[in-house]
Amino acid sequence: MIENTENKMPPNFIKEIIDEDLKNNRYTKVHTRFPPEPNGYLHIGHAKSICLNFGLAKEYAGLTNLRFDDTNPTKEDVEYVDSIKEDVKWLGFDWEDRLYFASDYFDTLYEYAIKLIKKGKAYVDSSPFEQIKEERGAPTKPGVESKYRSRTIEENLELFQKMKAGEFEDGVHVLRANIDMTSPNMNLRDPILYRIRHAEHHRTGNKWCIYPMYDWAHGQSDSIEGITHSICTLEFENHRPLYDWFVEQLEIHHPRQIEFARLNLNYTIMSKRKLLRLVEEKHVSGWDDPRMPTISGLRRRGYTPESIRNFADRIGVAKRDNVIDLSQLEFSIREDLNKRAMRVMAVLNPIKVELLNYPENEVEQLDAINNPEDESMGSRKLPFSRELFIDADDFQEVPHKKFHRLSPGNEVRLRYAYIIKCKEVVKDANGNIEKLLCTFDIDTKSGTGTSDKKVKGTIHWVSAKHAVNIEVRLYDRLFNVSAPDSEKNIDFIEHINPNSLAVLKNSMAEPFLKNAKPGERFQFERLGYYCVDSKDSSENKLVFNRTVTLRDSWAKIENQ
RNA sequence: UGCCCUAUGGUGUAACGGUAACACAGAGGCCUCUGGAGCCUUGGUUCUGGGUUCGAAUCCUAGUAGGGCAGCCA
């Protein structure tokens, strides 16, 4: 396997920080966490974070928790909780018995809030929404203090208790921290800790009608879990002083937050909101549509966990904004599947070939190697007969000057079989090719060494009467521009590639594929990697998804 | 006209003060019963200007450029 076996990711600034923390005894172990909000499916960007958090812990012999930051009941759902667990597991990571929810800490968080109020560090603000917004100021304009800021501790305690008891409508009061309305860091301008939301929570039901804000819940959750290094993305950099302030005021365990740049992929959108829109507006078949950058989409597309982990290692982690080339992801899956996928022959767009000098009812069983990269995968038998299918792309009636495949009067090798020559093109009334009449050279049988005839090309084929009909879904990038959501005035939906999916219903595969099981991956020789669709494929109707094409140097020649 | 962060070949990431490395992509070539795989070759005055130093991609400083921050979202 290509994956490095030393459990080591390449050097990065986070490891340097951890090394230093360990050396200085700031912490004596490494404990990380992956903290998704269950409001959507995980995508390849999350995979980067998952690999980072679990990878770091593994490398330092530490632990990683899975914690759902479920502080907003109006946006979250168990469907997402389940999918996230499945995806993390599938990626190959194990949180063991450390599955947590921020909602597990609602009681503790409430106690913490009381503590803050008693210290005079939090107050109930009864200003209307608009007023709070107004008083917060702007990045370049200091905020002003709320008139409720000077309420007594007793008054705050009583009001907060009543908020919890459900005595107020949504939005009537909020609990705010008492910090500094003039701070240049907006996060420190008396941030809201609790809001009233009479909504049912997917775990706590109707127990609560006040819910903690993310900023109030997140850092304390990390603290409660004894997290040493809270790895998060760059946009929370400005929140760090606030989180530090909370744990200092509360005098509780102080995790160290380290921010890194999130993953961006060209020709891809990563925003959960926008992915949700693709699903809701049915531009794709669901969160697991093989064109989606979600983990479930990549899985259905045929990506392996190993390939994604290697990808994450390869792209590294740093603080500068980045856009990774899609080819990097494609390389990762080709690299992995090249080593492990069984080779098989399938004809996407069949043209019939008749071998005029091959006996009518004869069938030969030819030897075919299952994987030239891995001898242990052995070989199999391929039936060969008078009538075959080859791919339309492998025949040109008027060949391009560098075309090495079949054309009238030309010879080509049939992989694992014979060299054939095209004698005649048979067409129907509309001029469409019906079949190719060819002859085969009996001395050129593969493996016999009875002929030293050389031809420039080798093509794949399938025996017509033995072939199994399959459906093939050819996927291409979902968007036709490299940065689909970069223009403010153009809806990213307009950049959807109309050819992102092509369905071929008449493809033919060698009989071995008859027993292919959902999720199984193959290389269709000379074409690419394909996997049996996990949803729509059945024994009667095999459906294959194209994971990725093989590198195609012919395409380059052809385009010149 | 505030605060925070960032700046290395086309794209990423490394180099931890001693003369730029690795991967992907691109371009050449070799090899080949997958035009696959594999192998070889080929790109950078390290954003700019000052400074510190025997020596700077690395430290300081001033610019410039990009990103983030004004949800009772996360």
Side-chain angles (χ1 to χ4, degrees), chain A residues 246-272:
Chain A
F246 284 145
V247 294
E248 276 157 29
Q249 291 297 324
L250 261 16
E251 300 174 83
I252 55 178
H253 167 70
H254 193 153
R256 176 174 189 149
Q257 174 170 301
I258 305 168
E259 309 86 8
F260 71 94
R262 59 150 27 99
L263 165 68
N264 297 293
L265 263 184
N266 57 15
Y267 296 97
T268 309
I269 57 166
M270 218 65 97
S271 142
K272 271 203 233 176

Side-chain angles (χ1 to χ4, degrees), chain A residues 275-327:
Chain A
L275 293 175
L276 176 63
R277 214 181 127 200
L278 288 174
V279 173
E280 284 182 337
E281 294 178 8
K282 309 240 188 268
H283 297 108
V284 296
S285 65
W287 284 100
D288 66 348
D289 186 296
R291 292 165 293 182
M292 291 282 271
T294 50
I295 307 292
S296 51
L298 291 167
R299 174 168 60 233
R300 193 170 165 196
R301 175 83 170 247
Y303 274 77
T304 59
E306 290 82 355
S307 71
I308 293 174
R309 281 187 252 134
N310 283 156
F311 170 74
D313 272 354
R314 189 146 28 218
I315 61 175
V317 46
K319 293 194 75 154
R320 58 191 104 102
D321 290 324
N322 61 82
V323 182
I324 307 290
D325 228 276
L326 208 50
S327 64

Side-chain angles (χ1 to χ4, degrees), chain A residues 64 119 293 342 453 461:
Chain A
T64 304
K119 286 181 77 169
M342 175 170 170
K453 187 184 279 186
W461 54 274

